[in-house]
Amino acid sequence: MITAKGNHLKLRLEDVESGTYRFIVTDDDGLNSEVTSVNLVVRGHIPWEIVGLTTGVLAIAIGRIIQRKMHDKRRFGKIRVISKPDAWVFVDGTLYGRSSMTSRFTEGLHEVRFWEELGYVECTKAAKVIPGETTEVRCKLYEIPKVKLKVSAKSKRPMESIDP
């Protein structure tokens, strides 16, 4: 039986036999390789086959992870958002946090909305994400003009009586 925990591969030699073994390897960024299959033929002395098996699996899996990362770099870019004052940032309707910040997005057009609580007019802009690049989106939020009202209960003219 072969099990993986953390960065270690555990192997019980008595359970190793000829056959097809399938693996998925995860890198430090959490990206998985594709399923990697290795055919193992065990003849007599097991340790050399095991060395070959683990070396082969890791080489294939690492190569596939590198290919996927290169592919991801072509499909993703970043959006950096800056606003005055700092505001809540929504991209395509999803809250991402407060400005100033940078996040990764798929290539193409995205709607960036800046919203600050009470007292400011929200701002919406389009951002075109270009793979491998960072698109900067800036927005100045304007204060909503304050209106002062004076309310008084005193009247300058006498009250008229209303008869039922």
Side-chain angles (χ1 to χ4, degrees):
M1 176 181 193
I2 300 174
T3 58
K5 184 173 184 178
N7 294 328
H8 303 286
L9 192 65
K10 292 186 179 185
L11 179 64
R12 289 182 13 186
L13 293 178
E14 62 271 15
D15 291 339
V16 176
E17 56 187 43
S18 296
T20 301
Y21 291 82
R22 289 183 173 80
F23 299 88
I24 295 178
V25 177
T26 305
D27 75 352
D28 291 339
D29 295 328
L31 186 63
N32 291 329
S33 69
E34 295 173 9
V35 175
T36 303
S37 296
V38 175
N39 290 320
L40 177 65
V41 177
V42 177
R43 292 186 196 123
H45 193 64
I46 292 176
W48 287 108
E49 284 84 2
I50 300 308
V51 170
L53 170 68
T54 54
T55 304
V57 166
L58 292 175
I60 292 168
I62 290 168
R64 289 187 177 165
I65 288 175
I66 291 169
Q67 285 177 334
R68 289 185 68 190
K69 281 190 172 188
M70 290 174 64
H71 180 69
D72 282 352
K73 284 182 182 175
R74 290 189 297 255
R75 294 181 33 224
F76 292 90
K78 293 182 180 179
I79 296 177
R80 180 166 189 249
V81 292
I82 300 169
S83 70
K84 292 211 181 204
D86 283 344
W88 292 104
V89 176
F90 295 80
V91 179
D92 299 328
T94 301
L95 176 64
Y96 274 83
R98 304 271 301 166
S99 60
S100 299
M101 58 167 273
T102 304
S103 279
R104 189 176 95 148
F105 294 93
T106 56
E107 68 179 307
L109 286 176
H110 296 274
E111 179 187 77
V112 180
R113 183 169 61 100
F114 297 84
W115 178 80
E116 182 53 33
E117 298 174 43
L118 304 174
Y120 290 89
V121 177
E122 73 178 46
C123 173
T124 302
K125 294 203 171 182
K128 182 177 182 181
V129 173
I130 298 168
E133 295 184 16
T134 300
T135 301
E136 191 171 280
V137 179
R138 291 179 175 266
C139 210
K140 179 170 175 25
L141 282 80
Y142 293 95
E143 271 191 89
I144 297 172
K146 293 180 172 86
V147 176
K148 291 184 181 182
L149 296 175
K150 185 175 181 181
V151 179
S152 173
K154 295 180 182 179
S155 175
K156 292 187 179 180
R157 50 185 206 158
M159 287 188 60
E160 298 174 15
S161 63
I162 301 173
D163 293 325

